[in-house]
Amino acid sequence: MLIDELRQSLKSAEADIAAIKAFWLNSNVAGKFATLDTHVNDPEFWKNPDRDSIITEHRALKHIVESYPTITKSYTDFLEIIELFSDNESELEAVKNDIAKIGRAHV
């Protein structure tokens, strides 16, 4: 049954989502990004001799900062969706591919 398959897919992704959340909480990515963002947006930033390394780190952290809420919200949304549409096979079929991707959407 499709609902069982989708529940299993989300169950399989659970450890990955937990690891992503633990990384987020323990790494202070948001704080580091905010600090770098302040430097990058400073009008005098171009004078900073470390600007190239700061820009490189800023870009890498920006990807993580933008991806984290999307991944965690998608996971939570999919849990709710499969329960909401547990008796509607066509609706579940519509989200099947997206649910299969959630475990592979690592930061």
Side-chain angles (χ1 to χ4, degrees), residues 33-59:
F33 178 75
T35 299
L36 291 172
D37 203 46
T38 299
H39 290 304
V40 168
N41 289 307
D42 183 334
E44 300 293 315
F45 178 69
W46 65 274
K47 295 179 184 177
N48 189 326
D50 298 324
R51 70 181 172 270
D52 291 340
S53 63
I54 292 171
I55 289 171
T56 300
E57 187 176 6
H58 181 264
R59 285 182 184 151

Side-chain angles (χ1 to χ4, degrees), residues 82-103:
I82 65 171
E83 293 311 316
L84 182 65
F85 295 110
S86 62
D87 59 347
N88 188 331
E89 196 83 11
S90 64
E91 290 293 333
L92 293 175
E93 192 65 46
V95 296
K96 180 180 178 180
N97 289 334
D98 293 329
I99 288 174
K101 293 176 192 174
I102 192 73

Side-chain angles (χ1 to χ4, degrees), residues 10 13 16-21 24 63-79 98 101-107:
L10 288 174
D16 294 333
I17 298 299
I20 290 168
K21 288 179 177 182
W24 181 262
H63 170 70
I64 295 170
V65 167
E66 290 174 349
S67 298
Y68 175 76
T70 301
I71 292 168
T72 56
K73 181 161 178 17
S74 294
Y75 177 75
T76 302
D77 289 349
F78 286 138
L79 287 172
D98 293 329
K101 293 176 192 174
I102 192 73
R104 296 186 303 260
H106 299 280
V107 173

